[in-house]
Amino acid sequence: RGASPELTEAILASLGARSRRMIEAELKDSTITPPADEVNKARKRIASTAIRLSSEGALELPSLQNAA
């Protein structure tokens, strides 16, 4: 929730059809609001995983100059 449509699509595209449908249904249900602390924990875990994968050479993170 709250991610750009491009990021949402990139993540959903990496999932299997059944998982994707389930997540899309949850995202459309506006009555489901995850606790803010869980969202923050998930964001931190995603960021640290991306940093670890980058240090292992598994992915390349954009530089600050390219991100602007």
Side-chain angles (χ1 to χ4, degrees):
R1 295 190 190 277
S4 70
E6 295 83 12
L7 178 59
T8 302
E9 179 56 33
I11 293 168
L12 291 174
S14 70
L15 301 172
R18 183 171 186 248
S19 295
R20 180 182 176 123
R21 285 191 307 270
M22 289 171 53
I23 292 171
E24 286 175 328
E26 284 188 24
L27 289 173
K28 288 178 185 176
D29 187 351
S30 61
T31 63
I32 301 173
T33 306
D37 62 325
E38 286 186 28
V39 172
N40 289 331
K41 286 179 190 177
R43 287 180 176 161
K44 287 179 183 178
R45 186 165 181 192
I46 292 167
S48 51
T49 299
I51 292 168
R52 179 180 53 80
L53 290 171
S54 176
S55 69
E56 294 172 358
L59 63 87
E60 184 177 333
L61 296 174
S63 69
L64 291 176
Q65 294 173 345
N66 294 338

Coordinates of all heavy atoms in Angstrom, one line a residue:
R1 N 0.9 -1.2 0.0 CA 0.0 0.0 0.0 C 0.9 1.2 0.0 O 1.9 1.3 0.7 CB -0.9 0.0 1.2 CG -1.9 -1.1 1.3 CD -2.9 -0.9 2.4 NE -3.7 -2.1 2.5 CZ -4.7 -2.4 1.8 NH1 -5.1 -1.7 0.9 NH2 -5.4 -3.6 2.0
G2 N 0.5 2.2 -0.8 CA 1.2 3.5 -0.8 C 2.4 3.5 -1.8 O 3.0 4.5 -1.9
A3 N 2.7 2.3 -2.4 CA 3.8 2.3 -3.4 C 3.3 2.8 -4.7 O 2.1 2.8 -5.0 CB 4.3 0.8 -3.5
S4 N 4.3 3.2 -5.5 CA 3.9 3.7 -6.9 C 3.3 2.5 -7.7 O 3.6 1.3 -7.4 CB 5.2 4.2 -7.6 OG 6.1 3.1 -7.9
P5 N 2.5 2.8 -8.7 CA 2.0 1.8 -9.5 C 3.1 0.9 -10.2 O 2.9 -0.3 -10.4 CB 1.1 2.5 -10.5 CG 0.8 3.8 -9.9 CD 2.0 4.1 -9.0
E6 N 4.2 1.6 -10.6 CA 5.3 0.9 -11.2 C 5.9 -0.2 -10.3 O 6.1 -1.3 -10.7 CB 6.3 1.9 -11.7 CG 5.9 2.8 -12.8 CD 5.1 4.0 -12.3 OE1 5.2 4.3 -11.0 OE2 4.5 4.7 -13.1
L7 N 6.1 0.2 -9.1 CA 6.7 -0.7 -8.1 C 5.7 -1.8 -7.8 O 6.1 -3.0 -7.7 CB 7.1 0.1 -6.8 CG 7.7 -0.8 -5.7 CD1 9.0 -1.5 -6.2 CD2 8.0 0.0 -4.5
T8 N 4.5 -1.5 -7.6 CA 3.5 -2.5 -7.3 C 3.4 -3.5 -8.4 O 3.4 -4.7 -8.2 CB 2.1 -1.8 -7.1 OG1 2.1 -0.9 -6.1 CG2 1.0 -2.9 -6.8
E9 N 3.4 -3.1 -9.7 CA 3.4 -4.0 -10.8 C 4.6 -4.8 -10.9 O 4.5 -6.0 -11.2 CB 3.1 -3.2 -12.1 CG 3.1 -4.1 -13.4 CD 2.0 -5.2 -13.3 OE1 1.0 -5.0 -12.7 OE2 2.3 -6.3 -13.8
A10 N 5.8 -4.2 -10.6 CA 7.0 -5.0 -10.7 C 7.0 -6.1 -9.7 O 7.4 -7.3 -10.0 CB 8.2 -4.1 -10.4
I11 N 6.5 -5.9 -8.5 CA 6.4 -6.9 -7.5 C 5.4 -7.9 -7.8 O 5.6 -9.1 -7.7 CB 6.1 -6.2 -6.1 CG1 7.3 -5.4 -5.7 CG2 5.8 -7.3 -5.0 CD1 7.1 -4.5 -4.5
L12 N 4.2 -7.5 -8.2 CA 3.1 -8.5 -8.5 C 3.5 -9.3 -9.7 O 3.2 -10.5 -9.8 CB 1.8 -7.7 -8.8 CG 1.2 -7.1 -7.6 CD1 0.0 -6.2 -8.1 CD2 0.8 -8.1 -6.6
A13 N 4.3 -8.8 -10.7 CA 4.7 -9.5 -11.8 C 5.7 -10.7 -11.5 O 5.8 -11.7 -12.2 CB 5.4 -8.6 -12.9
S14 N 6.3 -10.6 -10.3 CA 7.3 -11.6 -9.9 C 6.6 -12.8 -9.2 O 7.2 -13.8 -8.9 CB 8.3 -11.0 -9.0 OG 7.8 -10.7 -7.8
L15 N 5.3 -12.7 -9.0 CA 4.5 -13.7 -8.2 C 3.8 -14.6 -9.2 O 3.5 -14.3 -10.3 CB 3.5 -13.0 -7.3 CG 4.1 -12.1 -6.3 CD1 2.9 -11.3 -5.6 CD2 5.0 -12.8 -5.3
G16 N 3.5 -15.8 -8.6 CA 2.6 -16.7 -9.4 C 1.2 -16.1 -9.5 O 0.8 -15.2 -8.7
A17 N 0.4 -16.7 -10.4 CA -0.9 -16.1 -10.7 C -1.8 -16.2 -9.4 O -2.5 -15.2 -9.1 CB -1.6 -16.9 -11.8
R18 N -1.8 -17.2 -8.7 CA -2.7 -17.3 -7.5 C -2.3 -16.3 -6.4 O -3.2 -15.6 -5.9 CB -2.7 -18.8 -7.0 CG -3.6 -19.0 -5.8 CD -3.7 -20.4 -5.4 NE -4.7 -20.6 -4.4 CZ -4.5 -21.0 -3.1 NH1 -3.2 -21.2 -2.8 NH2 -5.4 -21.1 -2.2
S19 N -1.0 -16.3 -6.1 CA -0.5 -15.3 -5.1 C -0.8 -13.9 -5.6 O -1.2 -13.1 -4.7 CB 1.0 -15.5 -4.9 OG 1.3 -16.7 -4.4
R20 N -0.6 -13.6 -6.8 CA -0.9 -12.3 -7.3 C -2.4 -11.9 -7.1 O -2.7 -10.8 -6.7 CB -0.5 -12.2 -8.8 CG -0.8 -10.8 -9.4 CD -0.5 -10.7 -10.9 NE -0.8 -9.4 -11.3 CZ 0.0 -8.6 -11.9 NH1 1.2 -8.9 -12.2 NH2 -0.4 -7.4 -12.4
R21 N -3.3 -12.8 -7.5 CA -4.7 -12.5 -7.3 C -5.1 -12.3 -5.9 O -5.9 -11.4 -5.6 CB -5.6 -13.7 -7.9 CG -5.6 -13.7 -9.4 CD -6.7 -14.7 -9.9 NE -6.6 -16.0 -9.4 CZ -5.8 -17.0 -9.9 NH1 -5.2 -16.8 -11.0 NH2 -5.8 -18.2 -9.3
M22 N -4.5 -13.0 -5.0 CA -4.8 -12.9 -3.6 C -4.3 -11.5 -3.1 O -5.0 -10.8 -2.3 CB -4.1 -14.0 -2.7 CG -4.8 -15.4 -3.0 SD -3.9 -16.7 -2.2 CE -3.7 -16.2 -0.5
I23 N -3.1 -11.1 -3.5 CA -2.6 -9.9 -3.0 C -3.3 -8.7 -3.6 O -3.6 -7.7 -3.0 CB -1.1 -9.8 -3.3 CG1 -0.3 -10.8 -2.4 CG2 -0.5 -8.4 -3.1 CD1 1.1 -11.0 -2.8
E24 N -3.7 -8.8 -4.9 CA -4.5 -7.8 -5.6 C -5.8 -7.6 -4.8 O -6.3 -6.4 -4.7 CB -4.7 -8.1 -7.0 CG -3.4 -7.9 -7.9 CD -3.6 -8.3 -9.3 OE1 -4.4 -9.3 -9.6 OE2 -3.0 -7.7 -10.2
A25 N -6.4 -8.7 -4.4 CA -7.7 -8.6 -3.7 C -7.5 -7.9 -2.4 O -8.4 -7.0 -2.0 CB -8.3 -10.0 -3.5
E26 N -6.4 -8.2 -1.7 CA -6.2 -7.5 -0.4 C -5.9 -6.0 -0.6 O -6.4 -5.2 0.2 CB -5.0 -8.1 0.3 CG -5.4 -9.5 0.9 CD -4.2 -10.0 1.8 OE1 -3.4 -9.2 2.3 OE2 -4.2 -11.2 2.0
L27 N -5.2 -5.7 -1.7 CA -4.9 -4.3 -1.9 C -6.1 -3.5 -2.3 O -6.2 -2.3 -1.9 CB -3.8 -4.1 -3.1 CG -2.4 -4.6 -2.7 CD1 -1.5 -4.6 -3.9 CD2 -1.8 -3.7 -1.6
K28 N -7.1 -4.1 -2.9 CA -8.3 -3.4 -3.3 C -9.3 -3.3 -2.1 O -10.1 -2.4 -2.1 CB -9.0 -4.2 -4.4 CG -8.3 -4.1 -5.7 CD -9.1 -4.9 -6.8 CE -8.3 -4.9 -8.1 NZ -8.9 -5.8 -9.1
D29 N -9.1 -4.1 -1.1 CA -10.0 -4.0 0.1 C -9.5 -2.9 1.0 O -8.5 -3.0 1.7 CB -10.0 -5.4 0.8 CG -11.0 -5.4 2.0 OD1 -11.6 -4.4 2.3 OD2 -11.2 -6.5 2.5
S30 N -10.2 -1.8 1.0 CA -9.8 -0.6 1.7 C -10.0 -0.8 3.2 O -9.6 0.1 4.0 CB -10.5 0.7 1.2 OG -11.9 0.5 1.3
T31 N -10.7 -1.8 3.6 CA -11.0 -2.0 5.1 C -9.8 -2.6 5.8 O -9.8 -2.6 7.0 CB -12.2 -2.9 5.3 OG1 -12.0 -4.2 4.8 CG2 -13.5 -2.3 4.6
I32 N -8.9 -3.2 5.0 CA -7.7 -3.8 5.6 C -6.6 -2.7 5.7 O -6.1 -2.2 4.7 CB -7.2 -5.0 4.7 CG1 -8.3 -6.0 4.6 CG2 -5.9 -5.5 5.3 CD1 -7.9 -7.2 3.7
T33 N -6.2 -2.4 6.9 CA -5.2 -1.4 7.2 C -4.2 -2.1 8.1 O -4.4 -2.2 9.3 CB -5.7 -0.1 7.8 OG1 -6.8 0.4 7.0 CG2 -4.7 0.9 7.9
P34 N -3.0 -2.4 7.6 CA -2.0 -3.0 8.4 C -1.4 -2.0 9.5 O -1.4 -0.8 9.2 CB -0.9 -3.4 7.5 CG -1.0 -2.5 6.3 CD -2.5 -2.2 6.2
P35 N -1.0 -2.4 10.6 CA -0.5 -1.5 11.6 C 0.8 -0.8 11.1 O 1.6 -1.5 10.4 CB -0.2 -2.4 12.8 CG -1.0 -3.7 12.6 CD -1.1 -3.8 11.1
A36 N 1.0 0.4 11.4 CA 2.1 1.2 11.0 C 3.4 0.6 11.3 O 4.4 0.6 10.6 CB 2.0 2.6 11.5
D37 N 3.5 0.0 12.5 CA 4.8 -0.6 12.9 C 5.1 -1.8 12.1 O 6.3 -2.0 11.8 CB 4.8 -1.0 14.4 CG 3.8 -2.0 14.8 OD1 2.7 -2.0 14.2 OD2 4.1 -2.8 15.7
E38 N 4.1 -2.6 11.6 CA 4.4 -3.7 10.7 C 4.9 -3.2 9.4 O 5.8 -3.8 8.8 CB 3.2 -4.6 10.6 CG 2.9 -5.4 11.8 CD 1.7 -6.4 11.6 OE1 1.5 -6.8 10.4 OE2 1.0 -6.7 12.6
V39 N 4.3 -2.1 8.9 CA 4.7 -1.6 7.6 C 6.1 -1.1 7.7 O 7.0 -1.4 6.8 CB 3.8 -0.4 7.2 CG1 4.3 0.3 6.0 CG2 2.3 -0.9 7.0
N40 N 6.5 -0.4 8.8 CA 7.8 0.1 8.9 C 8.8 -1.1 9.0 O 9.9 -1.0 8.5 CB 7.9 1.0 10.2 CG 7.3 2.3 9.9 OD1 7.2 2.8 8.8 ND2 6.8 2.9 11.0
K41 N 8.5 -2.1 9.8 CA 9.4 -3.3 9.9 C 9.6 -3.9 8.5 O 10.7 -4.3 8.2 CB 8.8 -4.3 10.9 CG 8.9 -3.9 12.3 CD 8.3 -5.0 13.2 CE 8.2 -4.6 14.6 NZ 7.5 -5.6 15.4
A42 N 8.5 -4.0 7.7 CA 8.6 -4.6 6.4 C 9.5 -3.8 5.5 O 10.3 -4.3 4.8 CB 7.2 -4.8 5.8
R43 N 9.3 -2.5 5.5 CA 10.1 -1.6 4.7 C 11.6 -1.7 5.1 O 12.5 -1.7 4.2 CB 9.7 -0.1 4.9 CG 8.4 0.1 4.2 CD 7.9 1.6 4.3 NE 6.7 1.8 3.6 CZ 5.9 2.8 3.8 NH1 6.2 3.7 4.7 NH2 4.8 3.0 3.1
K44 N 11.9 -1.8 6.4 CA 13.3 -1.9 6.8 C 13.9 -3.2 6.4 O 15.0 -3.3 5.9 CB 13.4 -1.8 8.3 CG 13.2 -0.4 8.8 CD 13.3 -0.3 10.3 CE 13.0 1.1 10.8 NZ 13.0 1.2 12.3
R45 N 13.1 -4.3 6.4 CA 13.6 -5.6 6.0 C 13.8 -5.6 4.5 O 14.8 -6.2 4.0 CB 12.6 -6.7 6.4 CG 13.1 -8.1 6.1 CD 12.3 -9.1 6.8 NE 12.9 -10.4 6.5 CZ 12.3 -11.5 6.7 NH1 11.1 -11.6 7.3 NH2 12.9 -12.7 6.4
I46 N 12.9 -5.0 3.7 CA 13.1 -4.9 2.3 C 14.4 -4.1 1.9 O 15.2 -4.6 1.1 CB 11.9 -4.3 1.6 CG1 10.7 -5.2 1.7 CG2 12.2 -3.9 0.1 CD1 9.4 -4.6 1.4
A47 N 14.6 -3.0 2.6 CA 15.8 -2.2 2.4 C 17.1 -2.9 2.7 O 18.0 -3.0 1.9 CB 15.7 -0.9 3.2
S48 N 17.1 -3.6 3.9 CA 18.3 -4.3 4.2 C 18.5 -5.5 3.3 O 19.7 -5.8 3.0 CB 18.3 -4.7 5.7 OG 17.1 -5.4 6.1
T49 N 17.5 -6.2 2.8 CA 17.7 -7.3 1.9 C 18.2 -6.7 0.6 O 19.1 -7.4 0.0 CB 16.3 -8.0 1.7 OG1 15.9 -8.5 2.9 CG2 16.5 -9.1 0.6
A50 N 17.7 -5.6 0.1 CA 18.2 -5.0 -1.1 C 19.7 -4.6 -1.0 O 20.5 -4.9 -1.9 CB 17.4 -3.8 -1.5
I51 N 20.1 -4.1 0.2 CA 21.5 -3.7 0.4 C 22.4 -5.0 0.4 O 23.5 -5.0 -0.1 CB 21.6 -2.9 1.7 CG1 21.0 -1.5 1.5 CG2 23.1 -2.7 2.1 CD1 20.8 -0.7 2.8
R52 N 21.9 -6.0 1.1 CA 22.7 -7.2 1.2 C 22.9 -7.9 -0.2 O 24.0 -8.2 -0.6 CB 22.0 -8.3 2.1 CG 22.7 -9.6 2.2 CD 22.0 -10.6 3.1 NE 20.6 -10.8 2.8 CZ 20.2 -11.6 1.8 NH1 21.1 -12.3 1.1 NH2 18.9 -11.8 1.6
L53 N 21.8 -7.9 -1.0 CA 21.9 -8.5 -2.3 C 22.8 -7.6 -3.2 O 23.5 -8.2 -4.1 CB 20.5 -8.6 -3.0 CG 19.6 -9.7 -2.3 CD1 18.1 -9.5 -2.9 CD2 20.1 -11.0 -2.6
S54 N 22.8 -6.3 -3.0 CA 23.7 -5.5 -3.8 C 25.1 -5.7 -3.4 O 26.0 -5.8 -4.3 CB 23.3 -4.0 -3.5 OG 24.2 -3.2 -4.2
S55 N 25.4 -5.9 -2.1 CA 26.8 -6.2 -1.7 C 27.3 -7.5 -2.2 O 28.4 -7.7 -2.4 CB 26.9 -6.0 -0.2 OG 26.2 -7.1 0.4
E56 N 26.3 -8.5 -2.4 CA 26.7 -9.8 -2.9 C 26.8 -9.8 -4.5 O 27.1 -10.8 -5.1 CB 25.6 -10.8 -2.5 CG 25.6 -11.0 -1.0 CD 24.4 -11.9 -0.6 OE1 23.6 -12.3 -1.4 OE2 24.4 -12.2 0.6
G57 N 26.4 -8.7 -5.1 CA 26.4 -8.6 -6.5 C 25.2 -9.1 -7.2 O 25.2 -9.3 -8.5
A58 N 24.2 -9.5 -6.5 CA 23.0 -10.1 -7.1 C 22.1 -9.1 -7.7 O 21.3 -9.4 -8.6 CB 22.2 -10.8 -6.0
L59 N 22.2 -7.8 -7.3 CA 21.4 -6.7 -8.0 C 22.2 -5.4 -7.9 O 23.1 -5.3 -7.0 CB 20.0 -6.6 -7.4 CG 19.8 -6.2 -6.0 CD1 19.8 -4.7 -5.8 CD2 18.5 -6.8 -5.5
E60 N 21.9 -4.5 -8.7 CA 22.5 -3.2 -8.7 C 21.5 -2.1 -8.3 O 20.5 -2.0 -8.9 CB 23.1 -2.8 -10.0 CG 23.9 -1.6 -10.0 CD 24.5 -1.3 -11.4 OE1 24.8 -2.2 -12.2 OE2 24.7 -0.1 -11.7
L61 N 21.8 -1.4 -7.2 CA 20.9 -0.4 -6.7 C 21.3 0.9 -7.5 O 22.4 1.1 -7.9 CB 21.2 -0.1 -5.2 CG 20.8 -1.3 -4.3 CD1 21.2 -1.0 -2.9 CD2 19.3 -1.6 -4.4
P62 N 20.3 1.7 -7.8 CA 20.5 3.0 -8.5 C 21.4 3.9 -7.6 O 21.3 3.9 -6.4 CB 19.1 3.6 -8.7 CG 18.3 2.9 -7.7 CD 18.9 1.6 -7.4
S63 N 22.2 4.7 -8.3 CA 23.0 5.6 -7.6 C 22.2 6.8 -7.2 O 21.1 7.0 -7.8 CB 24.2 6.1 -8.4 OG 23.8 6.9 -9.5
L64 N 22.6 7.7 -6.3 CA 21.8 8.8 -5.9 C 21.7 9.8 -7.1 O 20.7 10.5 -7.2 CB 22.5 9.5 -4.7 CG 22.4 8.8 -3.4 CD1 23.2 9.5 -2.3 CD2 21.0 8.6 -3.0
Q65 N 22.7 9.9 -7.9 CA 22.7 10.8 -9.1 C 21.6 10.3 -10.1 O 20.9 11.1 -10.7 CB 24.0 10.8 -9.8 CG 25.1 11.5 -8.9 CD 26.5 11.4 -9.5 OE1 26.7 10.6 -10.4 NE2 27.4 12.2 -9.0
N66 N 21.4 9.0 -10.3 CA 20.5 8.5 -11.2 C 19.1 8.5 -10.6 O 18.1 8.5 -11.4 CB 20.8 7.1 -11.6 CG 22.1 7.0 -12.4 OD1 22.5 8.0 -13.0 ND2 22.7 5.9 -12.4
A67 N 18.9 8.5 -9.3 CA 17.6 8.4 -8.7 C 16.8 9.7 -8.8 O 15.6 9.8 -8.7 CB 17.8 8.0 -7.2
A68 N 17.5 10.9 -9.0 CA 16.9 12.2 -9.0 C 16.2 12.5 -10.3 O 16.3 11.9 -11.3 CB 17.9 13.3 -8.6

